[in-house]
Amino acid sequence: MRSELYIDGRWVSPIKGGTFDVVNPATEDVIHKLPAATAEDVDAAVAAARRAFDKDGWPKLSGAQRAAYLRAIADGIRVRQQEIAGLEVIDNGKPLPEAEWDIADAAGCFDYYAGLAEQQDNDPGEPIELPDARFTSRAVKEPIGVAGAIIPWNYPLLMAAWKVAPALAAGCTVVLKPAELTSLTALELAAIADEAKLPPGVLNVVTGSGSVAGQAIVDHKGVDKLAFTGSGPVGSKIMAAAARDIKRVSLELGGKSPFVVFDDADIDEAVEWIMFGIFWNQGQVCSATSRVLVQEGIYGKLLRRLVEETQKITIGNGLEDGILLGPLVSKRQYEQVLGAIEAARSAGATVACGGRRPEGFEKGYFLEPTVLTHVPLDSDAWREEIFGPVLCIRPFSDENEAIELANESRFGLAAAVMSKDEVRAERVAAAFRAGIVWINCSQPTFTEAPWGGYKESGIGRELGRWGLENYLETKQITKFVSEEQWGWYLKPSEAAQ
């Protein structure tokens, strides 16, 4: 495990020498110490990224040249996939099969953006049709500059890939700050980039707290673009701070996503996707479909089946075989989720199952997967993101009520609908006010498709070509091609004299 910052192609100790503990959420043991960067370290990282962009020629490389580095990073991740997945488990708590999937997806993300980087070489720009034949014009895309990327703790390496890969493909340089709770694999990404001989300054990784290192990135005048995934309140502060320098901003924030199940759905299929939509990654997923709306005709039967299957979920240390639910990421998160469940009870909700520490687990931030019924529509449990394995479920009567309840939220990240009636499913999907909609499933995520939300769930889109465009500016180039003189001030006869 790395113990230094990665700045300007070198491993360095933090200027002020600070450290913070790495805690395994399954055991509560301190397993490592990491460097705590301060504003001085961020300043060095930004200076390196600035030089790599402005002077050393990273944005001037061809797309094919940048793609070669991205593919080398992808290969480096794959070579070490098992090792890195193991680090994710002891850092984040998720079960090993989930971590392995994440790491494979991270490698695939670098490969995907390598392909888009290569395509840039064949793009002369978009020709613009003008009403004046004396001019030609085209729109071209250019990299924004230095990108500050601040990522969350729920998908440590994968969220880094979602930002670093498109930024490098676009020709930007990056200062990456991983979440303080889960920084191990971001430093391994730096090591892999170093082994791939990525030029110094192109990728810099600084670990530390959001309030110190993260804030220093947000405030730094040498940063042109901020990309943040995390909570709404922090995203709002970043957006306000960015306004001072008119920094470009993309934000992927929270959600309280609905899952509408009509009474023609297969109950077992619905239960499977409901569980996948909320219990994957311990429910610590921005897009988790945590509000389930089930049509009255099958509500009772589906609820009984859901509770039965939820109680079968195997809980434990993510490194053990057969585990489907690991611990929450930290003591603070564990206490917040328990507090949310207790607040739901006080508001009138019923705990159909779960809601407590499982038997036999004296240590570790373990929580039984939880299903809440009779949740008041005005309660925090129904309206606010809990970010844990907690599902709220209620019945609805008809399609109009389902759509109204689904859209009655300040969030709009994701939504899902399940029905055998394809016409109805498409109609409901069109009615959802959300940036990501799933039909007859929940949570499948593909690098090729846009990711982002409506309303308070964020600004901009990640993944696909939209993710690349996050790191590109649009430039107009207009050329005067007429053989005649312009002649506004200097008339042709006067010019000849």
Side-chain angles (χ1 to χ4, degrees), residues 359-392:
E359 292 183 8
F361 290 86
E362 296 180 1
K363 296 190 72 175
Y365 310 123
F366 294 98
L367 176 68
E368 291 179 340
T370 304
V371 176
L372 300 177
T373 61
H374 306 98
V375 183
L377 293 175
D378 61 352
S379 67
D380 283 349
W382 184 260
R383 300 171 67 88
E384 301 298 327
E385 186 175 45
I386 295 176
F387 223 63
V390 181
L391 175 72
C392 300

Side-chain angles (χ1 to χ4, degrees), residues 172-238:
C172 292
T173 56
V174 179
V175 178
L176 171 67
K177 197 208 84 68
E180 184 177 0
L181 290 174
T182 54
S183 297
L184 294 179
T185 54
L187 291 174
E188 297 308 316
L189 176 62
I192 289 167
D194 192 67
E195 292 165 4
K197 302 191 183 307
L198 191 71
V202 172
L203 173 63
N204 307 272
V205 180
V206 292
T207 56
S209 70
S211 60
V212 177
Q215 192 65 50
I217 292 172
V218 170
D219 292 338
H220 204 292
K221 291 186 178 297
V223 173
D224 302 298
K225 151 83 180 182
L226 293 169
F228 171 76
T229 298
S231 72
V234 175
S236 179
K237 291 178 182 178
I238 287 175

Side-chain angles (χ1 to χ4, degrees), residues 366-423:
F366 294 98
L367 176 68
E368 291 179 340
T370 304
V371 176
L372 300 177
T373 61
H374 306 98
V375 183
L377 293 175
D378 61 352
S379 67
D380 283 349
W382 184 260
R383 300 171 67 88
E384 301 298 327
E385 186 175 45
I386 295 176
F387 223 63
V390 181
L391 175 72
C392 300
I393 186 169
R394 66 180 299 117
F396 71 89
S397 59
D398 58 29
E399 182 177 321
N400 288 335
E401 182 189 12
I403 292 170
E404 183 178 351
L405 288 171
N407 286 338
E408 196 174 75
S409 174
R410 63 190 177 91
F411 298 110
L413 183 54
V417 57
M418 179 164 276
S419 173
K420 291 179 181 176
D421 184 337
E422 292 187 13
V423 173

Side-chain angles (χ1 to χ4, degrees), residues 155 257-259 269-292 306 388-391 414 416 438 441-444:
Y155 291 93
S257 301
F259 192 159
E269 288 182 9
V271 167
E272 168 67 21
W273 284 112
I274 288 168
M275 293 171 68
F276 192 80
I278 185 60
F279 299 137
W280 180 265
N281 204 39
Q282 292 70 252
Q284 298 167 143
V285 183
C286 294
S287 59
T289 37
S290 55
R291 289 187 297 139
V292 173
L306 175 63
V390 181
L391 175 72
W438 297 295
C441 59
S442 178
Q443 305 307 314

Side-chain angles (χ1 to χ4, degrees), residues 287-308:
S287 59
T289 37
S290 55
R291 289 187 297 139
V292 173
L293 298 158
V294 181
Q295 200 161 18
E296 291 169 339
I298 62 168
Y299 176 76
K301 186 174 181 181
L302 185 147
L303 176 60
R304 288 191 293 274
R305 191 84 176 91
L306 175 63
V307 169
E308 176 188 356

